[in-house]
Amino acid sequence: MTTLIRGHELKQLTAPILDVTAANGVTYAYRRFGATDTGKPPLLLLQHFRGNLDNWDPILVDTLAAGREVILLDNTGVGLSSGQVPVTVTQMARDAISFLDALDVEQVDLLGFSLGGMVAQEVALLRPRAVRRIVLAGTGPRGGRQMHGWTLDIERAANRADGGLDELLHIFFGITETSRTLGMEYVQRVFSRTENPDKPNGPEVARAQYDAIVEWGIPDLGRLARLAGITQPTLVAAGDDDPMIPTVNSQLLADHLPNARLRIFSDAGHGFLFQYPRQFAALVQEFLNGPAH
């Protein structure tokens, strides 16, 4: 298992964890690296349920960082960040905004995966001028379809305190041999860090985050009208068979966001961006570097 890309060591596996204390009293853990002086705003990555800084795919992050600065965030109460995890997505978004204020970052692009994609939508609604472009991966709109809690097998696997490889593969990857094989390659990459690890998230993080996800998913298609407020160019992407956040919700986002494009990855589940990290990174780069309309 190599930890090199284009002959270089992956920065996502070696970058130190930094911290900053915001006006809300929370000390946020984060990583920040990549190409500076590009004239592009940083790309803020917002993580999935129970995920921390270490769970981002190193190939995905390093490929993106080759063309711009990336910022990976442990939001309030997650990983090595202080505080208690909020039980609403809206408060998570307000906390992410407090983090950006603490860094004196006035504008970002956003990449939100799963729960992070819900938070990204709220950040764009609450602080619209701070967001230039948005990538929503494996996520759904508030009040969407089949999002009011997960199916029993997914809920058990995702919330299991001692969950391991089997649970991760079940949640993130498809049942085909191809998907599972690529899933195993992701596992080898993401767990190859040997220095500066983040703190794993325990059951208390899972409980609060799941409460927030369930509330977000209370059926209410009238909430889709809120998406009209997100006018930034938006890339929506998903796997074609996502058991965690059904793929229909990506279609709903694309249909109701004023300036969106949709990409569905075949033979892929919730973790499509880790199954196809190079392809997804190329798609994101093309989108972030493209014309405004």
Side-chain angles (χ1 to χ4, degrees), residues 1 3 32 34 72 79 87 103 119 135 170-171 179 185-186 190-191 193 218 220 230 232 261:
M1 172 62 195
T3 57
R32 184 174 186 174
L72 284 59
V87 294
L103 290 184
V119 175
V135 180
H170 178 62
I171 293 167
S179 185
E185 293 177 7
Y186 159 73
V190 81
F191 292 113
R193 171 176 290 277
I218 294 172
D220 184 357
I230 302 176
Q232 295 92 336
R261 57 185 284 196

Side-chain angles (χ1 to χ4, degrees), residues 24 37 45 47 59 63 79 100 124 140 143 153 162 192 206 241 246 252 285:
N24 61 3
D37 300 325
L45 281 71
Q47 187 59 294
I59 289 178
T63 303
L100 291 175
D153 64 318
D162 59 346
S192 60
D241 186 14
L252 284 174
Q285 288 175 316

